Amino acid sequence: MITCFIRYEIDPLKKDAFAEYARNWGQAIPRNGADLIGYFAPHEGSATTAYGVYNIESLAAYEAYRSRLAADPLGRENYEFARRERFILKEDRIFLKNVSLPHAARVLP
């Protein structure tokens, strides 16, 4: 299993558009084969940095998933929405593997 971290630089005046974009991915990403952890928008601190995070089995599975996502009606619409509204200024992806597993059970104080 690998985790894709997408770092976005967004227009701070268009945070609502990014939130709509994120909600759309909340529907399209899981139904096309990735385990969505979530999209995270600015709350405190930087007003321009946002993230999308999901798990996928492998880079080969990622390639197949991206093809399905591009063919998905909501996926296509969301890509077009981002292009048209220009709220994403920059987007970077990195794939990481969780090497701290297994984790201990959480203990509450």
Side-chain angles (χ1 to χ4, degrees):
M1 183 72 59
I2 57 176
T3 303
C4 179
F5 289 82
I6 308 168
R7 181 185 179 278
Y8 296 95
E9 181 182 334
I10 64 171
D11 182 332
L13 301 177
K14 296 182 178 182
K15 287 191 287 187
D16 290 343
F18 181 82
E20 180 179 342
Y21 174 80
R23 285 189 299 275
N24 290 338
W25 285 139
Q27 301 305 305
I29 287 173
R31 77 168 174 235
N32 282 284
D35 174 25
L36 181 64
I37 295 168
Y39 270 72
F40 302 87
H43 175 70
E44 187 75 25
S46 172
T48 61
T49 302
Y51 294 92
V53 184
Y54 60 88
N55 293 315
I56 194 123
E57 291 80 21
S58 65
L59 288 176
Y62 169 75
E63 293 301 328
Y65 151 80
R66 292 284 292 186
S67 294
R68 288 189 303 273
L69 197 60
D72 181 272
L74 182 56
R76 285 193 317 268
E77 183 180 308
N78 216 27
Y79 286 129
E80 175 57 27
F81 172 58
R83 187 198 63 73
R84 183 179 64 248
E85 298 299 321
R86 298 177 181 244
F87 50 86
I88 297 172
L89 307 176
K90 185 177 178 185
E91 180 177 333
D92 294 307
R93 272 183 185 70
I94 187 170
F95 294 89
L96 301 174
K97 185 172 183 166
N98 189 339
V99 296
S100 64
L101 294 173
H103 298 154
R106 181 176 172 205
V107 176
L108 298 174

